[in-house]
Amino acid sequence: MSTVTSALTAEDLEFLRRPLHGFLSVAGGPTPPQPRPVWFEVTAGGAVQLFTSPDAVKVRRLRRDPRASIVVAAPVGERERWLSVAGRVTVEPDGAHDLCARLAARYWDLDDPARADDLAGLSAGDWVRLVLHPETVRRYVS
């Protein structure tokens, strides 16, 4: 069943707390949009956040037009389910390194020395935090 709301439900939040990949699309890009897979985290307040390089093309586009959406789908082998969150994005200069560390622990086994080295490399990078504030939430659950 497909539904539309302006906020995330408790079931949406539970789904988004899983280590799934999201596909982010930003406005102001090529037609058709070019979504990119991203790590993400949903906040207690229902926003969706991710980190990226401050000079990424998506950041430049978001500074011109802050509209974006993220789509998250259940993996193969589970019942069909997807969630699309659209809204305005703020580019935040703080919190990106902490978010990076939390997401690495969520998506990688940091006991693996190679992944721990990958995280060390990420931690040395320059990042900003993108925060997507939901305005429209569409979902499908079979």
Side-chain angles (χ1 to χ4, degrees), residues 17 40 43 65 94 113 117:
R17 288 189 178 112
F40 66 91
T43 68
D65 185 340
D94 63 326
D117 285 346

Side-chain angles (χ1 to χ4, degrees), residues 29-47:
T31 303
Q34 305 293 309
R36 297 292 185 259
V38 295
W39 289 352
F40 66 91
E41 174 183 82
V42 63
T43 68

Side-chain angles (χ1 to χ4, degrees), residues 64-133:
R64 286 192 308 263
D65 185 340
R67 296 174 300 144
S69 67
I70 189 168
V71 175
V72 179
V76 172
E78 293 185 16
R79 292 190 63 88
E80 291 75 20
R81 179 179 187 177
W82 57 261
L83 185 70
S84 171
V85 180
R88 299 202 174 274
V89 172
T90 56
V91 179
E92 306 292 340
D94 63 326
H97 283 92
D98 290 339
L99 177 61
C100 175
R102 286 194 308 275
L103 290 175
R106 176 178 170 182
Y107 287 90
W108 290 340
D109 174 5
L110 294 177
D111 290 332
D112 176 344
R115 287 303 191 186
D117 285 346
D118 291 341
L119 175 56
L122 285 175
S123 297
D126 188 21
W127 307 109
V128 293
R129 188 169 49 98
L130 303 180
V131 182
L132 174 59
H133 304 275

